[in-house]
Amino acid sequence: MNFKFNQALMFTATSLSLLIAGCSQSNVANTASSPSKETKSKPSENSIEIWPTLDIAVKPDEKIEQRIADLLGKMTLAQKVAQTIQPEIRDITLEDMRTYGFGSYLNGGGAFPNGDKHALPSDWVALAEKMYQASIDDSIDGSTIPTMWGTDAVHGHNNVIGATLFPHNIGLGATHNPALIEDIAKATAEEVLATGIDWIFAPTVATVRDDRWGRTYEGYSEDPEIVRLYSASIVKGLQGRANSNFLGERQVISTVKHFIGDGGTIGGDDQGNNIADEQTLFDIHAQGYVGGLTAGAQTVMASFNSWKGDKVHGNQYLLTSVLKERMGFDGFVVGDWNGHGQIPGCSNESCPQAMNAGLDVFMVPTGAWKPLLENTIAQVKSGEISEARLDDAVTRILRVKLRAGLFDKPAPAKRVLSGDKDIIGSPEHRAVARQAVRESLVLLKNHQQLLPLSPNANVLVAGGGADNIGQQSGGWSITWQGTGNTNQDFPGGTSIYQGIKQAVSHAKGHVELATDGKFTQRPDVAIVVFGEQPYAEGNGDLDNLEYQRGNKTDLALLKSLKDQGIPVVSIFLTGRPLWVNPELNASDAFVVAWLPGTEGGGVADVLFSTENAELKHDFKGKLSFSWPKSPTQTNINRFDKNDTALLPYGFGLKYGEKSTLGNALSEETNRDSAQAISSLAIYDRSVQAPWKMALVTTQKSKTVASSMLENAELKFRTIDRRVQEDAFKIDWLSENAGQMRIYHDFLQDLRSYTEANSAIQFDYFLNSPIDAPLWLQVNCAETCTSDIDLRAHMQQQPTWQTLSVDLACFAQNATDFSKVGIPFALRSQGLLSLSLSDIRIVPHAANKADIGCPTE
Ligand code: BGC
Ligand code: BGC
């Protein structure tokens, strides 16, 4: 194989040291550590020397520091706390902004002015203007400090109709082109400014180690090298350069996120637990911060994930000692979407722990902002949060606002680019995006040099992704999940089919679109566009990497064309490397297009030559992620020694290069992967990530966030069985009372467990007789539940016992195991006191289960 690596990017001194670090990482036992209650720093285990002090491009400025001190000296406690509260546009009114003067606010993914998906740039600017005016209106709160608006422009200004959507980061990683990344960032900044917005929650600088993670596509690479370089480029593009146009009128504030370790959680679980040792945390997961903070990024978003069991939002060592004190970050740390509420002992409404740990701004969408504001004020009054800590947080916020010129700039409606609708989706920006699409395409296979195609040919375009701008754009596209859109929601955009049509109609060729492959005129070649449906965050988490497991409709389409003797070119839309050996075998040429965004024309640019058979554009893309050779090869990464990928990091054919894959790759799905799956711990001393526990009553559902929770119907309390607090007791206090539920907001794919004949097991101790039905429930969504009465199978005994139920019983009833939201819930119809521990799903235990189910 002939790999042409970009010399500038390869094998620098750092990557060699990472080689060593990478090896040591594989020695880390891959066991879930039980989350510790301790959220403070543990000095004995920490090695601050690992972290360098960064040479940050933006230096402190005497005048700004003086202005901050003057402002701070005049602020009341309530005004200060308001600076630390960031509500969401769906949960506040202008009056709230006038009354409290929040330091900032956001619109979440898929949140628009007036709730209108088709809001115009002028509507966005109008909201920005009104919020700004309300914030500087001192009639109620006495404050004139301007607020600022943050948005997730993560691949272009993706919440705005008509915006240029660039390829998602995984595609940009394949371009290996930091200069192009800076151009994309500049274009994004301009489109954001046209809507009156000040601040972007990007770039995501996760180094993604396990491709099952639903946010894999938000990462540039599995290797820190590109992440570090790109982070610096994008920050310079968004904010401008330190000594020239820094935060000038064409720039926005940027955020490096999510600090830290989001890409390295066990099993690729979104919001999960990263157990890397500290050197690895720096070498692998911190490099995006090294790049981005050095370039002057002004904000850092704390991550939902834990490090060694402790939520980063409450981790003083990481947020304060490492990030601020040691690395020298002097901007502010913003939380993620109610992330503070996940710290043990906190709720969305109250969390002194987070601010004490070093969080400066609470991202608090939902109505929780009001109690949080009030509680935080009370906590500073009582000394639970020191005044010095609050002052430090506000100092940091004001520093960023002053650096961004917010006090001196005109109001949003009067800024240079505001309301300029020609900027949104401008031809110049689309040209940059189209170039990025071209450069991101990775050619995996080109049997007998089928590509490039002649534009004079008779071309069939097939596949569900062919004329589908929503699918080619992925998550974070107009809506949060990227679902529910049609091509009309992307005015000015081009589907892959439309791009092909333009290229071919230009020559004397012929194109037919038939998504199901049923052509009317026999083609010379078929281009089939298919791949993942859009998703965002935990909704995209997988349990292995097999494409279309159990439902290979795209493979059937490829095969039907091949069986008719038609050469097949596959264009694969995906947010991550997936196991596609059968699809590769059924394709003559195979191109990974990732999630290219709105400029689908970039695909045809590379697929077709000129009419005179001259190349227009060669393939440039190289994998920035290793490509798996089996569904379970989920966390193979560059420099891994013991395992080989199907195609390694850096792979990507050019025209004329010999294609090596052949048509006979193993199609063995490795059902032993089902064999090899291990028990799934749901409750093991505590609820295991990603699951959470809640008490659900007729009134409401309350997440269990500490060792005790009680309402009129149910009482929860942790108890000691083998060790401290490794079990819990539930009392049903009234008849037909509520449910104890283990759940996750994002549906999990547990099919491998039903395929492996698993049983759901738990240990119990009856503290009272059981004389009414006790319903065990496994739920995939509200409409998809199945209950089994356990009463007849449980006895009161003086010891703990195990009860085991065949999972198939639930599958037979209604539960769809591809999307499980609740793997375990109990509801008693009568009064009952029951202790529980060790809730798990155990493979190959179905035939020995206490409650069996007939198998078909
Ligand atoms: C928001 C997203 C956010 C998500 C978090 C959605 O409702 O629109 O921006 O990331 O919730 O759960
Ligand atoms: C995501 C962040 C995002 C935030 C605001 C969260 O759910 O994790 O990446 O910036 O929502 O939408």
Side-chain angles (χ1 to χ4, degrees), residues 472-537:
Q472 78 194 29
S473 298
W476 298 103
S477 297
I478 311 300
T479 60
W480 175 41
Q481 293 294 319
T483 48
N485 297 314
T486 67
N487 283 357
Q488 280 67 54
D489 292 317
F490 303 94
T494 306
S495 71
I496 291 172
Y497 159 70
Q498 287 161 349
I500 294 171
K501 187 162 186 238
Q502 281 159 17
V504 175
S505 327
H506 220 254
K508 307 243 158 42
H510 175 266
V511 194
E512 178 174 354
L513 173 68
T515 45
D516 60 2
K518 300 210 172 80
F519 49 81
T520 53
Q521 190 181 334
R522 190 183 159 85
D524 302 324
V525 63
I527 302 175
V528 186
V529 188
F530 62 95
E532 288 191 307
Q533 296 299 321
Y535 53 80
E537 303 189 37

Side-chain angles (χ1 to χ4, degrees), residues 385-401:
I385 298 171
S386 70
E387 247 176 275
R389 175 72 268 272
L390 176 67
D391 283 352
D392 171 55
V394 178
T395 296
R396 289 168 177 274
I397 297 163
L398 295 176
R399 184 178 291 133
V400 173
K401 289 186 174 185

Side-chain angles (χ1 to χ4, degrees), residues 88 90 107-111 152 337 476 480 537 746:
E88 209 256 2
R90 286 169 285 192
N107 70 301
D152 293 290
W337 198 270
W476 298 103
W480 175 41
E537 303 189 37
F746 304 123

Side-chain angles (χ1 to χ4, degrees), residues 221-277:
S221 179
E222 67 189 19
D223 182 89
E225 184 172 19
I226 297 178
V227 180
R228 188 185 59 245
L229 287 167
Y230 276 21
S231 181
S233 298
I234 195 161
V235 168
K236 284 177 200 155
L238 294 175
Q239 298 194 348
R241 291 179 178 251
N243 296 318
S244 52
N245 54 342
F246 186 70
L247 291 176
E249 55 186 15
R250 289 181 171 261
Q251 320 305 141
V252 290
I253 300 162
S254 77
T255 308
V256 270
K257 74 182 187 184
H258 311 81
F259 188 82
I260 183 176
D262 50 351
T265 58
I266 299 168
D269 259 335
D270 193 40
Q271 311 192 0
N273 188 16
N274 184 321
I275 55 167
D277 61 77

Side-chain angles (χ1 to χ4, degrees), residues 539-713:
N539 274 337
D541 284 2
L542 292 176
D543 69 353
N544 74 44
L545 296 180
E546 181 176 351
Y547 177 63
Q548 285 199 327
R549 180 147 59 99
N551 185 25
K552 295 208 184 295
T553 50
D554 292 322
L555 178 62
L557 173 58
L558 300 177
K559 281 185 167 165
S560 80
L561 293 164
K562 216 173 155 94
D563 288 348
Q564 299 171 71
I566 299 165
V568 174
V569 179
S570 285
I571 307 293
F572 190 46
L573 299 173
T574 188
R576 57 188 140 208
L578 287 174
W579 182 74
V580 285
N581 280 7
E583 289 81 4
L584 279 163
N585 287 339
S587 309
D588 298 283
F590 196 102
V591 177
V592 184
W594 312 107
L595 299 169
T598 52
E599 302 321 301
V603 175
D605 287 348
V606 183
L607 289 191
F608 290 91
S609 62
T610 66
E611 288 168 64
N612 311 322
E614 280 153 16
L615 282 188
K616 287 203 295 191
H617 297 278
D618 201 348
F619 280 94
K620 284 195 175 161
K622 305 281 176 207
L623 295 176
S624 60
F625 283 80
S626 311
W627 199 274
K629 68 169 181 225
S630 77
T632 50
Q633 201 181 37
T634 56
N635 54 359
I636 182 169
N637 291 305
R638 184 187 188 193
F639 300 128
D640 278 358
K641 276 276 170 336
N642 310 330
D643 219 351
T644 44
L646 179 71
L647 297 166
Y649 179 99
F651 182 86
L653 294 171
K654 287 185 159 299
Y655 278 135
E657 283 180 356
K658 190 169 164 13
S659 181
T660 50
L661 281 185
N663 295 336
L665 297 173
S666 164
E667 298 196 9
E668 189 49 63
T669 50
N670 238 336
R671 280 293 162 209
D672 350 317
S673 60
Q675 235 72 65
I677 62 170
S678 46
S679 293
L680 177 73
I682 296 172
Y683 190 98
D684 178 10
R685 294 189 186 204
S686 61
V687 187
Q688 296 298 296
W691 311 107
K692 293 178 243 179
M693 190 191 290
L695 300 187
V696 185
T697 61
T698 36
Q699 258 72 49
K700 60 175 175 200
S701 163
K702 192 130 179 51
T703 303
V704 177
S706 62
S707 55
M708 261 155 91
L709 187 65
E710 185 170 354
N711 57 48
E713 298 172 30

